[in-house]
Amino acid sequence: MIMIWYRDNVNAVHICAIQLTVVTLEYSVFHFNVFALHESSLHLWKNTRIYTIHFITDTVNFIALAYRPALSRMVLRIRNRSCEDVHFTISDMTLMTICLLFIVADLLAMFENFIRNLDYLGFDEEFAKQFWDWNWVFYNYPTIKSILAGVELWAILSITTHAKKLKS
């Protein structure tokens, strides 16, 4: 909606387009079960697959946002349009920071997944047993991601506030 409503603001449109593309790709990978594992696979590998997909998409999102002004200029030049309104916004920096927090959450979840399953990775069960109760991120992962997604939406909405001030 923001992309359509503020279609005159090239920065807002391209930020929203990046976010929409990344979220759609991530959803598609899970919905169509790309990189599927056999049903009898260990939960260790099923969880690793989930965290890896999230990590990759969050990293791609971070890189796309970091290079968003350059990508925006390239798109505008291809369409023979002016690039003078393209600039790095506060929302870009905020979204990049949020992406880093997403990446940290993904890495913590993946680390915890491995540490909780050391017995499946060849470690002695007596040694691994002390880590079986480590589940701080595992049980809170959806909540962490949801909170960060809310902050991400707030950052995208902050584009509109800035755009409104520019119009006044």
Side-chain angles (χ1 to χ4, degrees), residues 58-115:
D58 292 338
T59 303
V60 166
N61 194 13
F62 176 81
I63 293 168
L65 287 168
Y67 288 100
R68 201 263 324 148
L71 293 170
S72 293
R73 287 185 192 97
M74 183 179 72
V75 167
L76 292 174
R77 284 188 189 118
I78 290 171
R79 301 170 106 197
N80 292 323
R81 296 210 175 135
S82 171
C83 299
E84 72 181 49
D85 291 334
V86 175
H87 57 275
F88 201 75
T89 66
I90 293 170
S91 295
D92 286 302
M93 186 54 80
T94 305
L95 287 169
M96 286 172 55
T97 304
I98 294 166
C99 283
L100 284 177
L101 293 174
F102 273 123
I103 290 168
V104 167
D106 298 335
L107 291 175
L108 285 173
M110 200 175 313
F111 172 75
E112 187 179 271
N113 182 49
F114 284 125
I115 199 113

Side-chain angles (χ1 to χ4, degrees), residues 36-53:
L37 294 174
H38 193 271
E39 283 186 27
S40 64
S41 296
L42 294 173
H43 286 291
L44 165 70
W45 303 121
K46 290 177 182 177
N47 291 338
T48 300
R49 172 189 166 268
I50 291 167
Y51 300 137
T52 302
I53 291 168

